[in-house]
Amino acid sequence: MEGEAEIDRLPIDLLAHIFGLITSFTHLAHVCKKWKLGVKQSLARRKNLSFAGWKMDDDSTARLVGYAYSLKELEISRSRWGCQITDNGLYRMSFAKCISNLTSISLWGLTGITDKGVVQLISRASSLQHLNIGGTFITDESLYAIANSCPQLKSIVLWSCRQVTGNGLLFLVNKCGRLESINVWGTRLPLDCFIGLLTISPALQIKPEGLLLNAGVASMLPVA
């Protein structure tokens, strides 16, 4: 058709492949219907999706995650000012078809979320193996939900989650038998908690490295 741009003559499948090579869909929010369809098809094929560096809100995030049917890894970390993800966004995302198949989720630094949204999302993420929830204000309530809903969990980052307690961590480690690594930098955990965690799971890696030495735990454990 005269006056039609060359790219607009491409079939939807090829457009979807091209859009699959783009790391950000931010600038494709206001495009023609054909391009929007290409974006949807591209998202449906994606195995991982990161919103790092994007200025996202509940509506746009939930909408894009909803299109990503094949998603395995989801990163919604707050890496710039103006990222407004709340419990409402997590609630809406929890109904996306991909959530039950996700193996990795990062909610790092999302200060607008609470236990309410986290519990709703995590309760549907039964395949989860890796979770980064550092820099948030979660409490033991979220840890209980993670422990009960994510039996395959291998690693969790609780960086600076100062409202979690030893009770929540002990419950988590006791329930998640496959847990290999836990990052508790910046938390307010007593010495007895570290001893309890390693009593339940001697091979558990407690990060950052050197934390146990600083706490005086290493000298109190039996030599293998």
Side-chain angles (χ1 to χ4, degrees):
M1 181 181 297
E2 187 176 352
E4 184 180 30
E6 291 293 331
I7 194 170
D8 289 331
R9 299 178 185 178
L10 297 176
I12 294 295
D13 286 347
L14 186 53
L15 275 176
H17 175 73
I18 294 172
F19 292 146
L21 303 176
I22 299 175
T23 57
S24 171
F25 292 103
T26 303
H27 302 297
L28 297 177
H30 305 288
V31 293
C32 65
K33 291 183 178 180
K34 186 175 182 180
W35 279 40
K36 285 184 178 181
L37 184 57
V39 169
K40 289 182 180 180
Q41 287 194 13
S42 174
L43 284 169
R45 300 172 182 176
R46 283 190 171 232
K47 299 298 183 182
N48 54 75
L49 183 61
S50 173
F51 296 114
W54 299 24
K55 186 176 181 179
M56 302 298 293
D57 57 24
D58 289 339
D59 181 66
S60 57
T61 305
R63 182 158 34 87
L64 291 176
V65 171
Y67 295 148
Y69 306 129
S70 303
L71 207 59
K72 294 292 186 181
E73 301 178 5
L74 176 62
E75 181 182 1
I76 322 176
S77 302
R78 177 178 180 175
S79 57
R80 65 178 292 175
W81 296 109
C83 182
Q84 301 293 332
I85 307 298
T86 69
D87 288 339
N88 181 53
L90 298 187
Y91 177 83
R92 292 174 59 184
M93 277 184 275
S94 71
F95 294 102
K97 293 182 178 180
C98 66
I99 298 301
S100 62
N101 295 319
L102 288 178
T103 60
S104 177
I105 297 177
S106 176
L107 304 174
W108 188 90
L110 296 182
T111 56
I113 64 175
T114 69
D115 289 323
K116 182 179 179 180
V118 173
V119 170
Q120 173 67 25
L121 179 68
I122 293 301
S123 64
R124 297 174 180 268
S126 56
S127 300
L128 196 62
Q129 296 179 21
H130 308 283
L131 175 62
N132 185 342
I133 201 167
T136 65
F137 298 112
I138 65 161
T139 70
D140 288 347
E141 183 179 350
S142 288
L143 295 186
Y144 296 145
I146 296 167
N148 289 321
S149 304
C150 308
Q152 301 182 55
L153 191 67
K154 294 182 178 180
S155 69
I156 184 169
V157 175
L158 296 168
W159 184 90
S160 201
C161 291
R162 298 185 177 182
Q163 297 186 56
V164 301
T165 72
N167 290 334
L169 286 172
L170 289 169
F171 186 83
L172 176 72
V173 173
N174 192 50
K175 290 278 288 187
C176 297
R178 299 184 181 183
L179 192 61
E180 301 171 355
S181 170
I182 182 169
N183 189 321
V184 291
W185 187 92
T187 55
R188 300 168 177 171
L189 299 172
L191 176 62
D192 289 347
C193 177
F194 296 124
I195 296 174
L197 294 177
L198 292 175
T199 299
I200 296 172
S201 179
L204 181 67
Q205 298 179 36
I206 300 179
K207 300 180 178 180
E209 295 181 7
L211 181 63
L212 297 184
L213 291 175
N214 293 335
V217 175
S219 62
M220 302 177 65
L221 296 174
V223 179

